[in-house]
Amino acid sequence: MEQFDQRLRAMAEKEECIVPKGFDERLENVLDELPPQKKKRGLGAVKGVLVAAAACVLLVGTAFGASPGLREVLAEALGGFAPYAQEQEDKTYTIDGLEFKVKSVLADDFTIRAYVEVRDPEGDIFDKIDDLTIPTRVSGGVDVPFVHEWLAPDATESWMSGAECLSYDAESRTALLVVSTWKTMPEDMTEAAVQVRAMNSYLTGDYEEVWRNRWGRAIPVEVKSVDTTVLGKDTALVSGLDAEEARLSPLGLTLIFHDYEIHRPILEGEALNGTDGANVSVKLADGSIVEAPWGGHCGIFLPPYDENSSRVIIMNFREPVELEQIDGVYIGEDYFPIK
């Protein structure tokens, strides 16, 4: 038993698995219920298999990223987007005491979203956070190369990024994060990388930075963007909004305006000042409606912010939508047919 226990612990370490508290006692209880070894030689082999099976049952869920609950959360978070997500290399990165593993990545021309598992092997970092799932408790983004010549050689970009904890499994001390960035995506995404920057808490009532990525380490990811359809000024949506163009992908709707002041305030409302703008949704051919809440705002500006300046507004769908399924787009109470 002692040698077998040592082998199990060695396997657990090799597989990045933590041995849970009470493992020895629970394993002993399981072994006590197994049939004793009789005269038949084969029974010892059978019991050996049962011992290994019992140990595996006790250890399941303790390995990094093996929590059934988190797998279900990831599946639910991806939902219909799962066919468009690119699974990532099963590799763990240790950054300042936390272990990170990127599971899936979604991207189109203006949105990139990564689903990341984070494990706290020592159990003392997440314990210092009041609730990891509260917005603003995690900060981060996906680093993507700039596109310097999208409008002109001297154009500059702005972007938005953010991170959120979707769920935390206390038993395995593992959290599932979604890390996003909204900006113009380059054709070459080989340098894309996920970066979780910090974790904060108000457990004591005051703001406290519990964890920081001190050296700004990033995790490389493989990105394959979904297909995007460009709508021009000959469409009701673009001309009706005084936009330059619109882009539709399964991930969302992006509107591009080639002037700094958008001519239809209803589109933005006070969104940039902290309140909601107009509701945006798409009507499908079967009559159903898919909402497109605000995903992010990013701007590509050409100084001195004159008629050549641009603003990009990004709205991500709650569920994937294909262009051929869309009959039209609602902006507030206004309806713009696509077909």
Side-chain angles (χ1 to χ4, degrees), residues 205-222:
D206 297 322
Y207 171 84
E208 179 184 4
E209 186 177 82
V210 174
W211 176 88
R212 172 162 289 278
N213 185 347
R214 292 176 295 176
W215 302 103
R217 290 186 57 191
I219 303 171
V221 292
E222 295 183 8

Side-chain angles (χ1 to χ4, degrees), residues 109 124 140 185 321 327:
D109 288 353
D124 60 348
M185 301 297 161
V321 174
D327 274 354

Side-chain angles (χ1 to χ4, degrees), residues 72-84:
E72 293 170 0
V73 173
L74 175 59
E76 182 178 353
L78 285 172
F81 292 106
Y84 305 97

Side-chain angles (χ1 to χ4, degrees), residues 128-255:
K128 299 176 182 177
I129 302 177
D130 46 349
D131 185 349
L132 195 62
T133 62
I134 296 176
T136 73
R137 294 304 186 262
V138 184
S139 64
V142 185
D143 295 336
V144 180
F146 287 124
V147 181
H148 295 291
E149 298 184 7
W150 191 70
L151 285 179
D154 58 346
T156 60
E157 289 185 280
S158 68
W159 72 96
M160 287 189 67
S161 63
E164 180 183 359
C165 177
L166 299 178
S167 182
Y168 173 65
D169 182 65
E171 184 176 356
S172 63
R173 299 197 293 270
T174 304
L176 177 64
L177 311 181
V178 57
V179 184
S180 306
T181 290
W182 299 272
K183 69 178 293 294
T184 315
M185 301 297 161
E187 293 184 6
D188 184 1
M189 299 284 282
T190 55
E191 296 183 17
V194 171
Q195 186 182 78
V196 179
R197 303 187 185 98
M199 296 183 185
N200 311 304
S201 177
Y202 285 87
L203 186 62
T204 63
D206 297 322
Y207 171 84
E208 179 184 4
E209 186 177 82
V210 174
W211 176 88
R212 172 162 289 278
N213 185 347
R214 292 176 295 176
W215 302 103
R217 290 186 57 191
I219 303 171
V221 292
E222 295 183 8
V223 183
K224 182 179 180 181
S225 297
V226 300
D227 293 335
T228 297
T229 298
V230 178
L231 304 178
K233 292 183 177 180
D234 58 337
T235 62
L237 176 64
V238 175
S239 61
L241 295 175
D242 294 325
E244 186 67 21
E245 68 180 50
R247 299 192 185 189
L248 276 168
S249 84
L251 272 64
L253 167 66
T254 300
L255 295 167

Side-chain angles (χ1 to χ4, degrees), residues 34 50 53 64 90 99 104 108 125 151 169 178 182 206 208 230 239 248 263 270 278 283 288 306 310 312 315:
L34 294 176
L50 293 173
F64 184 89
D90 190 28
E99 296 177 350
S104 296
D108 65 8
I125 295 178
L151 285 179
D169 182 65
V178 57
W182 299 272
D206 297 322
E208 179 184 4
V230 178
S239 61
L248 276 168
H263 297 304
E270 298 293 329
K283 178 184 177 182
S288 61
D306 56 15
S310 289
V312 178
M315 291 151 284

